[in-house]
Amino acid sequence: TFGADVISRIQAALREELPKLTALIREQMTTLIQQVCKTADILPETVGVVSVVGNPAMQQLFLGICPENLAEIPFAPALTEAKAVSCKEILPICPEAQLLIVPDIAGFIGADTVGCLLATKLYEEDALTLLVDIGTNGEMVLGNRDGMIACATAAGPAFEGANIRFGMRAAEGAIDHVWTEDGKILCSVIGGGAAEGICGSGLVDAVAVGLQLGLINKRGRILTDDHILPLTERIYLTQEDVRQVQLAKGAIYAGIALLAKQLGVEIEEIQKVRLAGAFGSFLNPENACRIGLLPEALLQKIEAVGNAALSGAKMLARDPALLPFTQKLTEKIESLE
């Protein structure tokens, strides 16, 4: 409603739309809380702890804090302190609960990345490990127990289906995978019915298949007469779609390359890659490397770790003693602007 990426939402908040943004997020979260409580057969009033993580912009909007700090240099984080507050005013559906607020690492590296770190325990690794959460705000951490460095890259919303002609989220009707057999392009569709659009994992596959078949050149130009890449009778990629993918994948690759440079290591020296987020779980690693979303040298080291941010939030909800640890964790991580 207020834009597909965090920058658009920040700008909306600065145009005095903050109360509407905050209300919308809280309404949607209330609906989700009602759903999980119904599934678990408990009353929301009996919930004791609510644990929330998100990128800095979304976290501030949820809490009703104007994100003006994220609109100007030095992009300082507003939430730097781990604390528990009463949930009553923020999410009245859980009036008896404590709301856990997880600190941000930097202006655009948020509590969601802290959640990912808790879930993957990267800070205990001996091996040099890269954690990447690919989304509109592509956040990544490189390091191990000896030290960690993090950055955020403005990947844009292409991998979440926005700004793509037939783009959609990974829901029923979305093309989630594309491959080629005997020179023909084949697709799988979530739910098994007719394709209604294409989600992020399908988008990466489609561009990779276009490259493989010589229908897209290395500069990203579609070489067909009508400059579209047909996937089904109705769904196709446009030239602008490919450009959006290039912007997104270029940002992610650049972030990885700059983190390695800052640590003084070659990309080849990275020993493990953890792909977080729903998108990372369904991504075809070979195709991600083929289009330059991830460096080819990392192909054999990639492991999907699912929605690690949510897993970290769950760990905090079950063990509130972890909350002070998140404070120590954020203070240990160097951030790269």
Side-chain angles (χ1 to χ4, degrees):
T1 309
F2 292 94
D5 57 84
V6 291
I7 302 299
S8 303
R9 296 168 194 170
I10 291 167
Q11 289 169 342
L14 297 179
R15 292 194 305 269
E16 300 184 356
E17 301 273 20
L18 177 62
K20 290 181 185 175
L21 284 152
T22 299
L24 194 59
I25 295 168
R26 292 180 183 179
E27 282 167 20
Q28 294 302 311
M29 289 180 69
T30 298
T31 301
L32 292 171
I33 290 168
Q34 286 170 330
Q35 288 174 6
V36 293
C37 286
K38 186 177 179 182
T39 304
D41 197 24
I42 64 161
L43 293 170
E45 301 86 70
T46 63
V47 171
V49 180
V50 176
S51 172
V52 177
V53 299
N55 68 54
M58 291 302 288
Q59 209 180 2
Q60 285 184 225
L61 295 174
F62 163 62
L63 293 169
I65 301 167
C66 184
E68 57 194 350
N69 57 304
L70 302 176
E72 55 190 31
I73 292 170
F75 309 111
L79 299 166
T80 55
E81 191 183 335
K83 55 185 175 182
V85 299
S86 171
C87 208
K88 191 185 293 183
E89 302 297 323
I90 297 167
L91 291 169
I93 191 172
C94 299
E96 300 301 317
Q98 287 277 294
L99 174 68
L100 304 186
I101 297 175
V102 180
D104 296 328
I105 297 167
F108 282 97
I109 313 167
D112 49 353
T113 302
V114 177
C116 288
L117 289 169
L118 287 177
T120 59
K121 290 187 164 56
L122 188 152
Y123 49 84
E124 292 181 355
E125 286 277 0
D126 288 318
L128 183 61
T129 303
L130 173 68
L131 170 69
V132 187
D133 191 351
I134 302 174
T136 304
N137 199 29
E139 297 167 328
M140 53 193 80
V141 182
L142 178 62
N144 54 22
R145 66 195 311 159
D146 297 325
M148 293 169 284
I149 183 168
C151 77
T153 65
F159 295 136
E160 295 178 358
N163 297 350
I164 302 297
R165 175 70 178 81
F166 290 101
M168 61 183 289
R169 290 190 175 273
E172 196 164 309
I175 294 172
D176 61 343
H177 286 296
V178 181
W179 67 97
T180 177
E181 279 181 23
D182 302 324
K184 288 183 179 177
I185 295 176
L186 301 177
C187 307
S188 69
V189 178
I190 297 173
E196 294 173 19
I198 186 165
C199 65
S201 57
L203 194 58
V204 170
D205 286 354
V207 175
V209 163
L211 279 168
Q212 188 182 340
L213 294 176
L215 299 174
I216 298 176
N217 69 15
K218 65 180 181 180
R219 294 173 63 85
R221 184 162 179 78
I222 298 178
L223 302 176
T224 58
D225 292 340
D226 48 8
H227 299 296
I228 65 168
L229 181 69
L231 301 174
T232 69
E233 284 184 13
R234 196 176 74 82
I235 309 298
Y236 55 84
L237 292 193
T238 68
Q239 185 61 65
E240 179 56 25
D241 293 343
V242 179
R243 295 294 179 230
Q244 290 291 328
V245 172
Q246 286 178 288
L247 285 171
K249 69 99 183 179
I252 298 294
Y253 196 113
I256 295 168
L258 288 169
L259 283 183
K261 185 178 179 183
Q262 188 75 6
L263 268 191
V265 299
E266 298 296 323
I267 286 174
E268 294 78 10
E269 294 176 61
I270 297 171
Q271 294 162 280
K272 294 181 180 179
V273 181
R274 301 284 182 259
L275 277 190
F279 174 64
S281 299
F282 293 99
L283 192 63
N284 179 314
E286 286 184 12
N287 287 340
C289 292
R290 181 175 285 144
I291 71 167
L293 168 60
L294 300 170
E296 283 194 41
L298 301 180
L299 178 57
Q300 302 305 323
K301 305 168 184 179
I302 296 169
E303 179 191 341
V305 291
N307 193 336
L310 182 63
S311 297
K314 281 160 58 178
M315 289 168 68
L316 277 159
R318 291 169 63 130
D319 182 8
L322 277 174
L323 189 61
F325 176 68
T326 64
Q327 181 88 52
K328 292 177 185 170
L329 197 55
T330 58
E331 291 165 2
K332 279 183 183 177
I333 300 168
E334 180 189 344
S335 64
L336 173 67
E337 292 293 343

